[in-house]
Amino acid sequence: MIARSAADCADVLQAMAGHDPRDATSVDRTVDDYRAALDRGVRGLRIGIARELFSAGVSDAMQTTVHRALHELEAAGAILVEIDLPSLPLSIPAYYVIAPAEASSNLARYDGVRYGRRAAAVKGLHDLYSRSRAEGFGTEVKRRILTGTYVLSSGYYDAYYLRAQQVRRLIANDFARAFATVDLIAGPTTPDVAFKLGEKTADPLAMYAADINTVAVNLAGLPAMSVPAGFIGGLPAGLQLIGQAFDEASLFAAGHALQSRTDWHLAMAPGAVR
Amino acid sequence: MNDWQAVIGLEIHVQLNTRSKLFSGASTAYGAEPNTQASWVDVALPGTLPVPNIEAIRKAVTFGLAVGADVAAESIFARKNYFYPDSPKGYQISQYERPIVAGGTILARLDDGREITVQLTRAHLEEDAGKSVHDAFHAASGIDLNRAGTALIEVVSEPVMHSSAEAVAYMKAVHRLVRWLDICDGNLQEGSFRCDANVSVHQPGTPFGTRCEIKNVNSFRFVEKAIDYEIERQIRAIENGERIVQETRLYDAAANKTRTMRSKEDAEDYRYFPDPDLPPIRVTATEFDALRATLPELPDARRSRYIDAHGLTAYDANKLTEERSTSDYFEAVANALPGHSKLVANWVNGELAAALNEAQSAITASRIGAPALAGLLARIVDGTISGKIAKDVFAAMWAGEQSADAIIDARGLRQISDSGAIGQMLDDVLAQFPEQVAKYRAGDAKLFQFLVGQAMKATKGKANPTQVNELLRERLGVTG
């Protein structure tokens, strides 16, 4: 979800959140009052600064920019605590095994039979499948389908998919341990500001590496929010806040506290057109 | 050489008789217009998600409890990935590493009376595929997704059977059980109960031979013939020095042959993995207890009870426990007539079964309900009518007349048990047939039955036959 402010975000989530009886993975529990949480402030809120979110690959400028935002929260009464998430560096390899595996299966329904792209003048069933899918999917999607098919294959499943799920558990355990002492975890959303369009297309691994700080929350099943934290060389930088499962309220409290003291979320990048 | 032994294991697809599908609310009723019972989940529209049908899970657990298996407190749905037009998601939701039911046994009885105990490997929940229709359109196939997503359990046996007769007996035992438990309608023609047979041959004491799987056989007779053909084919091949290749074969009923469908080299890699859209299936202790409490008395237990406590023959007990509705009917009548179970069994398996068969009627829709039959049999037990007259009353009841008592009264069928009246009537009969009496006295014993017959005729069958015999003997001076 992308919105102009933490407050807008809270309103939208308030409308969306809740049990969905048509989704077996959705939990039936009471939804917090996010709007009320906005004005809760951050006094006494313990924010964990995860060493691994600031480690190798995070540019100096990004370090400085994110710490500046964290000091604002500290000035508003939050308590900054250093923490460790030792398995976090494994999140990229784990994510890029699990996500493509699921994608390879999830996208199987685009077979040209019932809906979506259907190749013309096909010769038989195999031709219908292979050409419809070859024509309809882009390069990155194809790469992920191939990767996912490979890691699920007989003989490779244990080494890749099962292993990645075990790593996922380690990452989730790291977060659970950290949340025993802090209310939120913070770090840069990305190691650096945006690279140029198409710049890393030829090197997908370098492109995936830019996801290092954000994929862990998906693996661990936690809510997270990226809040504008200023500009580096004219490009926006984000502070990422990570909450405990179902504690979106604390994210909104911290996000709104920051946006009450700063105007980064209202600022436009130089040269941007509204 | 004659010492080949066949080794057979079956995979039986039991369609669960839930009203809606395993993961969608669409109806499972058979025979609707194509694609009218396929919801957005069954059609696999993007963004739709599966929601498990609790009733299907309960039925799978019920099966597990009935076969004495380990029913998993936690089991997992997995995706079996393959492309085929009747599999709209590109994968089938099934179970792989942790099925809901593991182990268990089925007792099967062969036609010759021999019993075998078949170990089950597992039974897992899965969704059915749709159907491809190949002959309805020119140069194209049609896809009917009405069946897609229907709940199944696949019951997998260990390879412990050695003949087609054993395989069929096992298949029939499973068929009887799933209908008894009311988890499957058992309709083979409509595909509610289908079987894959794994067959290999070897010489006892040597390792198992290479197996072939015969797919999708949907009749007891075809299973028997397909297995027989396959055993013969494999033995012949080996004796000719050929090697059996592991493959999937199809049974062609018209030709009575199996033929290659695909070899193991073409076998797909299904890339099973736990379905991320579905949390593990959890069955709590309370739910187990509730399902155990509703488990009916099972057919084998009833059969034993009928023999041991009711004194029925194995034949009667087998017949009565083929279907739960028949057994329930018998119980209802027998409970009303304590001590007369044999009489009840004779009537349920005899007169009633014949009438139902002729009318093509299910026993649950019988024109003569259990209380009505009990009312009729009670009149035999108390001597009001003879068994022979009872058949006439039964026919009248079947034809829609009222209760046994009303018919007996209206037609004056009450049995004559007054020995004075019977004696008087016998004297008349003897006076009427002096010649036959004389021949009888001269040693033509079979004329006794002739005289009994005349006596019964004279009373339109109403005379108590025991008394007629007794009094006639007395009059003819027969002792003992």
Side-chain angles (χ1 to χ4, degrees):
Chain A
M1 182 202 310
I2 300 174
R4 289 201 178 277
S5 65
D8 284 0
C9 225
D11 279 347
V12 177
L13 188 67
Q14 196 80 63
M16 289 167 58
H19 181 234
D20 178 356
R22 291 198 169 133
D23 177 354
T25 65
S26 139
V27 180
D28 191 3
R29 75 198 306 274
T30 313
V31 176
D32 288 341
D33 185 342
Y34 301 136
R35 181 141 280 278
L38 288 174
D39 296 322
R40 221 160 63 184
V42 291
R43 186 150 304 281
L45 195 78
R46 295 171 64 85
I47 299 177
I49 310 301
R51 216 185 306 275
E52 291 77 7
L53 291 174
F54 290 89
S55 64
V58 178
S59 71
D60 290 347
M62 185 61 82
Q63 305 257 5
T64 312
T65 304
V66 169
H67 274 115
R68 185 181 59 189
L70 285 168
H71 288 315
E72 286 292 340
L73 287 170
E74 195 174 27
I79 303 156
L80 304 185
V81 187
E82 290 229 335
I83 58 154
D84 276 304
L85 298 169
S87 299
L88 193 104
L90 298 173
S91 55
I92 287 282
Y95 181 82
Y96 280 100
V97 168
I98 294 169
E102 294 185 3
S104 72
S105 177
N106 290 341
L107 295 172
R109 64 189 60 196
Y110 296 97
D111 57 6
V113 173
R114 294 164 311 284
Y115 49 73
R117 176 135 193 148
R118 180 177 202 153
V122 294
K123 295 177 190 70
L125 186 58
H126 190 275
D127 199 38
L128 168 71
Y129 286 152
S130 53
R131 280 181 40 213
S132 299
R133 291 169 65 80
E135 292 170 13
F137 290 133
T139 309
E140 180 57 26
V141 173
K142 283 179 189 161
R143 176 162 34 238
R144 291 191 184 200
I145 289 174
L146 289 172
T147 307
T149 303
Y150 180 80
V151 299
L152 289 175
S153 298
S154 166
Y156 297 99
Y157 178 87
D158 287 359
Y160 292 102
Y161 189 75
L162 194 63
R163 191 87 177 135
Q165 289 289 12
Q166 288 163 345
V167 169
R168 178 183 198 167
R169 169 61 57 196
L170 293 179
I171 292 167
N173 289 347
D174 276 3
F175 278 107
R177 210 174 299 115
F179 280 122
T181 59
V182 299
D183 302 304
L184 288 178
I185 293 172
T189 304
T190 52
D192 206 343
V193 290
F195 46 84
K196 286 198 172 105
L197 186 65
E199 188 179 281
K200 296 192 179 179
T201 311
D203 185 0
L205 289 184
M207 190 165 63
Y208 295 166
D211 296 341
I212 177 78
N213 281 3
T214 43
V215 296
V217 295
N218 295 324
L219 293 172
L222 302 172
M225 171 190 251
S226 179
V227 194
F231 296 88
I232 300 169
L235 292 168
L239 164 72
Q240 180 180 220
L241 297 168
I242 303 168
Q244 297 195 54
F246 302 107
D247 189 21
E248 286 84 355
S250 292
L251 296 179
F252 293 127
H256 188 66
L258 187 67
Q259 292 181 342
S260 304
R261 301 173 63 87
T262 64
D263 61 0
W264 294 315
H265 63 297
L266 302 173
M268 295 287 290
V273 187
R274 199 183 281 273
Chain B
M1 272 205 295
N2 219 359
D3 55 350
W4 292 103
Q5 186 185 45
V7 177
I8 303 161
L10 298 187
E11 293 165 18
I12 300 178
H13 291 86
V14 177
Q15 213 173 67
L16 299 178
N17 57 354
T18 51
R19 297 210 337 253
S20 58
K21 294 184 179 178
L22 183 52
F23 297 113
S24 86
S27 165
T28 56
Y30 180 82
E33 283 295 301
N35 297 312
T36 55
Q37 290 178 173
S39 78
W40 47 81
V41 174
D42 307 317
V43 180
L45 290 186
T48 58
L49 290 167
V51 178
N53 179 339
I54 292 170
E55 201 50 35
I57 293 168
R58 288 199 185 112
K59 285 178 190 273
V61 171
T62 298
F63 177 82
L65 293 173
V67 297
D70 289 326
V71 182
E74 187 178 298
S75 68
I76 290 181
F77 282 118
R79 292 184 183 179
K80 179 182 182 178
N81 294 283
Y82 66 96
F83 284 98
Y84 202 68
D86 63 18
S87 170
K89 294 187 294 297
Y91 56 85
Q92 175 195 27
I93 304 177
S94 179
Q95 296 196 290
Y96 188 57
E97 279 187 335
R98 287 161 71 186
I100 190 155
V101 172
T105 55
I106 293 277
L107 180 75
R109 198 168 290 107
L110 280 73
D111 288 341
D112 63 9
R114 192 161 58 90
E115 286 181 356
I116 54 167
T117 299
V118 176
Q119 283 81 38
L120 301 184
T121 312
R122 59 190 280 164
H124 61 253
L125 271 165
E126 63 183 27
E127 56 178 347
D128 211 340
K131 280 181 190 164
S132 299
V133 183
H134 295 301
D135 49 10
F137 306 98
H138 173 68
S141 291
I143 304 297
D144 178 4
L145 295 176
N146 282 353
R147 197 182 65 179
T150 300
L152 300 176
I153 49 172
E154 179 175 326
V155 180
V156 183
S157 85
E158 290 287 296
V160 290
M161 289 162 278
H162 301 296
S163 67
S164 61
E166 289 187 358
V168 170
Y170 161 74
M171 194 175 160
K172 284 183 173 168
V174 174
H175 186 254
R176 178 179 69 159
L177 180 64
V178 297
R179 297 180 68 219
W180 192 280
L181 297 171
D182 190 26
I183 62 175
C184 171
D185 68 18
N187 193 319
L188 286 97
Q189 286 80 41
E190 292 176 6
S192 304
F193 192 87
R194 319 192 289 271
C195 177
D196 301 341
N198 283 290
V199 179
S200 67
V201 299
H202 75 145
Q203 288 168 322
T206 66
F208 283 171
T210 304
R211 71 188 151 88
C212 292
E213 183 181 15
I214 313 166
K215 273 273 181 214
N216 252 325
V217 197
N218 69 345
S219 96
F220 297 122
R221 212 173 121 67
F222 289 166
V223 165
E224 183 182 340
K225 296 178 94 173
I227 289 174
D228 282 341
Y229 175 86
E230 186 60 21
I231 293 171
E232 270 301 306
R233 183 189 73 85
Q234 292 187 15
I235 293 173
R236 212 179 318 119
I238 296 169
E239 291 188 343
N240 287 338
E242 295 164 31
R243 217 169 45 85
I244 301 294
V245 246
Q246 189 174 335
E247 60 184 3
T248 304
R249 299 178 69 87
L250 274 182
Y251 177 66
D252 177 346
N256 186 30
K257 273 183 174 177
T258 64
R259 54 184 163 78
T260 302
M261 183 179 160
R262 59 170 181 262
S263 74
K264 198 199 174 190
E265 285 71 47
D266 306 330
E268 295 198 56
D269 179 351
Y270 291 121
R271 291 169 283 126
Y272 281 101
F273 74 108
D275 193 327
D277 293 338
L278 290 160
I281 308 170
R282 293 202 172 83
V283 187
T284 65
T286 324
E287 286 164 327
F288 272 129
D289 290 345
L291 288 170
R292 203 174 276 118
T294 57
L295 206 61
E297 186 183 20
L298 298 177
D300 289 323
R302 278 209 180 165
R303 179 184 177 274
S304 303
R305 189 160 57 79
Y306 290 172
I307 294 171
D308 300 340
H310 288 259
L312 300 189
T313 60
Y315 171 84
D316 275 336
N318 287 347
K319 278 206 81 169
L320 290 173
T321 51
E322 267 168 24
E323 288 191 38
R324 185 165 152 201
S325 49
T326 309
S327 177
D328 286 347
Y329 186 105
F330 165 76
E331 302 245 323
V333 183
N335 287 342
L337 298 166
H340 298 281
S341 298
K342 177 65 192 161
L343 175 73
V344 177
N346 287 344
W347 275 79
V348 173
N349 285 338
E351 212 66 16
L352 179 71
L356 290 170
N357 192 37
E358 200 187 324
Q360 298 276 300
S361 165
I363 198 163
T364 44
S366 173
R367 285 198 228 165
I368 300 178
L373 185 66
L376 170 63
L377 301 189
R379 296 292 84 84
I380 301 178
V381 169
D382 69 12
T384 305
I385 55 172
S386 67
K388 193 169 178 306
I389 292 288
K391 291 187 181 182
D392 297 336
V393 178
F394 180 91
M397 290 166 78
W398 190 265
E401 289 184 43
Q402 304 146 339
S403 69
D405 285 338
I407 294 165
I408 291 165
D409 286 343
R411 300 191 179 184
L413 297 176
R414 210 163 283 278
Q415 182 164 263
I416 302 163
S417 299
D418 171 356
S419 53
I422 292 174
Q424 182 67 56
M425 177 270 295
L426 283 174
D427 290 340
D428 292 348
V429 169
L430 296 179
Q432 213 182 321
F433 298 99
E435 210 173 302
Q436 284 80 354
V437 172
K439 275 190 185 164
Y440 174 78
R441 291 195 201 278
D444 192 349
K446 65 178 185 294
L447 280 164
F448 185 82
Q449 275 316 311
F450 169 79
L451 295 168
V452 169
Q454 291 305 319
M456 296 307 288
K457 196 173 158 191
T459 57
K460 296 191 176 109
K462 287 187 290 183
N464 181 324
T466 316
Q467 281 175 299
V468 168
N469 274 280
E470 213 169 274
L471 295 173
L472 185 61
R473 258 189 219 107
E474 241 172 51
R475 277 168 173 67
L476 295 173
V478 189
T479 49

